């Protein structure tokens, strides 16, 4: 059973958005602006703001439209998602199992659930809790920033990548009408791992305290990312069964070398990476600023866990996890690029010496 339009009397696709944060709000808002029947489930403060002022959607390509207050269907009650044709899950990865269990008594058994979450394990968690549901994995390549409680702005480029499935045919037309064409992939796991490699920068951005573009313009921060990516690529190679897809013009294996280039050469060769709104920050930076625990264990922590499973270590990504946890619990000051680079190099050297001593 795929996504269809079932008896709601309007012929509209009925989409539930579970997790009305930046991603869920933007995706659901674009669908609602294109006249899909969208029901949001999220926090009461968002419900109040959107029902009073509507939801404004802008992007770096010039989009600027508002879903009016009367068109906002928002609730804090998950039961409002009953009878949806498609549920987009955009809660934090740590909340996936809890979200799936709360959906269990609400949704018809064979409903389609599209996970638009960070990390690579959410699909398996959902399938374990909801074995009869059609679980599709997705990847959001662009960055969404809040510009007020009811204004969301897409600050970078990219197409939504989703696991290809015949049941998405009708939904795909609705997403296209909403200005969100779907990049349907048969190798979605490879896409998720490739995105995770890029997302290793989220921790560095959060620790820097800078907007993404300004952070990436600093060679020392890029060297930190190069170390994290190179370590991750080595772990993936040892694991053997994981080959990241190509999301950028260059293969993933070339990215560390590109990141280490001097600033003028990097700007010349990697202009696409710097096509970022000046206000954009990583989701981890947003979480730290809001007092929420970032998803570092679902991104850098995945590399650490995979290294342990292959009887190795990933000291750079392990250290980044520790620093983000420390920033959350102790409200530490931002790191300069050179200080963070020296710290990560020190950790990597100590691990190498420990390995040689053996």
């Amino acid at each position: 059973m795929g996504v269809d339009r079932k008896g709601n009397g309007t012929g509209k696709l009925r989409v539930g958005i579970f997790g009305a944060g930046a991603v869920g709000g933007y995706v659901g808002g674009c669908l609602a602006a294109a006249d899909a029947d969208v029901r949001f489930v999220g926090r009461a403060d968002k419900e109040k703001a959107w029902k009073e002022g509507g939801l404004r959607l802008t992007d770096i390509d010039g989009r600027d439209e508002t879903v009016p207050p009367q068109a906002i269907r928002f609730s804090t009650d998950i039961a409002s998602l009953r009878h949806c044709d498609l549920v987009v899950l955009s809660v934090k990865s740590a909340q996936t199992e809890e979200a799936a269990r709360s959906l269990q008594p609400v949704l018809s058994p064979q409903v389609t659930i599209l996970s638009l979450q960070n990390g690579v394990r959410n699909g398996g968690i959902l399938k374990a809790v909801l074995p009869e549901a059609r679980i599709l994995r997705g990847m959001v390549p662009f960055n969404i920033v809040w510009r007020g409680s009811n204004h969301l702005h897409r600050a970078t480029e990219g197409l939504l990548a989703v696991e290809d499935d015949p049941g998405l045919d009708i939904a795909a037309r609705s997403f296209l009408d909403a200005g969100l064409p779907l990049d349907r992939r048969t190798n979605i796991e490879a896409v998720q791992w490739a995105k995770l490699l890029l997302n290793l920068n989220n921790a560095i951005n959060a620790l820097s305290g800078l907007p993404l573009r300004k952070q990436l313009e600093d060679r020392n921060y890029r060297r930190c990312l190069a170390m994290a990516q190179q370590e991750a690529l080595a772990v993936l190679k040892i694991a053997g069964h994981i080959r990241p897809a190509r999301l950028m013009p260059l293969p993933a294996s070339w990215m560390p070398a590109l990141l280490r280039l001097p600033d003028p050469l990097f700007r010349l060769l990697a202009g696409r990476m710097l096509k970022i709104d000046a206000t954009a920050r990583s989701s981890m930076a947003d979480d730290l600023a809001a007092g929420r625990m970032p998803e570092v264990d679902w991104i850098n922590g995945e590399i650490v866990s995979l290294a342990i499973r292959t009887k190795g270590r990933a000291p750079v990504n392990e250290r980044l996890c520790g620093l983000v946890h420390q920033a959350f619990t102790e409200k530490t000051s931002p790191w300069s690029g050179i200080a963070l680079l020296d710290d990560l190099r020190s950790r990597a050297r100590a691990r190498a010496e420990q390995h040689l001593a053996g």
Side-chain angles (χ1 to χ4, degrees):
M1 179 177 173
V3 177
D4 58 9
R5 297 181 174 104
K6 300 174 292 188
N8 60 1
T10 66
K12 297 179 183 179
L13 181 73
R14 292 174 300 189
V15 182
I17 304 291
F18 191 6
V23 168
Y26 186 81
V27 171
C30 289
L31 288 166
D35 206 31
D37 181 353
V38 180
R39 298 105 185 273
F40 296 95
V41 170
R43 300 195 311 268
D45 60 331
K46 291 291 187 298
E47 178 183 18
K48 184 176 185 295
W50 296 6
K51 285 185 174 180
E52 289 180 355
L55 177 60
R56 186 181 176 194
L57 307 160
T58 57
D59 67 23
I60 58 170
D61 300 315
R63 178 177 196 153
D64 191 346
E65 57 188 323
T66 298
V67 182
Q70 62 271 23
I72 298 290
R73 302 187 67 177
F74 198 121
S75 177
T76 58
D77 184 358
I78 196 169
S80 66
L81 300 183
R82 196 181 303 275
H83 306 308
C84 283
D85 305 317
L86 171 70
V87 172
V88 175
L89 190 67
S90 49
V91 300
K92 295 294 185 182
S93 294
Q95 300 168 345
T96 300
E97 183 173 354
E98 179 185 355
R101 295 197 183 282
S102 65
L103 283 168
Q104 199 170 30
V106 171
L107 302 180
S108 59
Q110 295 178 325
V111 72
T112 298
I113 299 175
L114 175 61
S115 166
L116 295 183
Q117 301 169 274
N118 283 326
V120 294
R121 288 186 286 128
N122 295 297
I125 294 170
L126 290 168
K127 196 65 180 175
V129 179
L130 302 166
E132 294 184 22
R134 185 188 295 266
I135 307 297
L136 301 179
R137 295 164 291 176
M139 185 277 289
V140 181
F142 43 76
N143 177 271
I144 307 295
V145 297
W146 290 100
R147 289 185 168 177
S149 59
N150 62 342
H151 180 186
L152 288 166
H153 178 76
R154 175 172 63 80
T156 57
E157 313 181 301
L159 299 180
L160 286 175
V162 300
E163 189 169 9
D164 196 17
D165 186 278
L168 272 181
D169 290 346
I170 292 174
R173 291 197 290 273
S174 293
F175 275 82
L176 182 60
D177 291 344
L180 297 171
L182 300 181
D183 179 11
R184 298 170 68 167
R185 298 278 193 135
T186 57
N187 62 337
I188 194 66
E189 184 177 11
V191 172
Q192 287 181 307
W193 278 102
K195 177 66 186 309
L196 187 141
L197 287 173
L198 297 176
N199 277 350
L200 296 177
N201 186 59
N202 287 8
I204 296 164
N205 178 250
L207 294 169
S208 75
L210 299 173
L212 274 165
R213 189 168 72 192
K214 191 168 183 180
Q215 176 242 313
L216 286 170
E217 287 174 342
D218 186 317
R219 189 184 185 191
N220 287 320
Y221 287 122
R222 294 199 309 274
R223 284 170 165 169
C224 295
L225 176 56
M227 290 181 68
Q229 286 190 348
Q230 189 165 334
E231 180 180 85
L233 287 165
V235 170
L236 293 176
K237 185 175 181 180
I238 293 170
H241 66 286
I242 302 166
R243 189 169 186 176
R246 183 186 292 195
L247 300 182
M248 306 288 286
L250 295 177
S253 59
W254 293 18
M255 285 299 296
L258 175 68
L259 291 165
R260 292 188 179 102
L261 290 174
D263 291 336
L265 194 53
F266 177 78
R267 285 194 293 269
L268 178 67
L269 297 179
R272 180 180 169 187
M273 286 186 70
L274 296 176
K275 191 180 178 183
I276 306 172
D277 188 280
T279 63
R281 297 175 186 267
S282 71
S283 57
M284 284 195 201
D286 288 341
D287 286 340
L288 279 182
R292 298 185 298 262
M293 179 59 213
E295 294 182 294
V296 67
D297 293 334
W298 295 81
I299 299 177
N300 304 76
E302 289 290 356
I303 302 301
V304 177
S305 297
L306 184 59
I308 292 171
R309 293 199 298 273
T310 55
K311 304 190 185 307
R313 293 290 296 274
V316 173
N317 284 285
E318 186 176 12
R319 178 59 172 164
L320 287 169
C321 285
L323 290 175
V324 171
H325 277 270
Q326 185 179 17
F328 172 69
T329 57
E330 301 178 17
K331 314 300 181 197
T332 53
S333 299
W335 287 71
S336 69
I338 190 61
L340 184 59
L341 180 62
D342 287 346
D343 183 273
L344 296 180
R345 282 174 168 170
S346 174
R347 294 288 170 147
R349 280 196 301 268
R351 178 58 189 161
E353 291 167 0
Q354 184 182 13
H355 178 73
L356 290 173

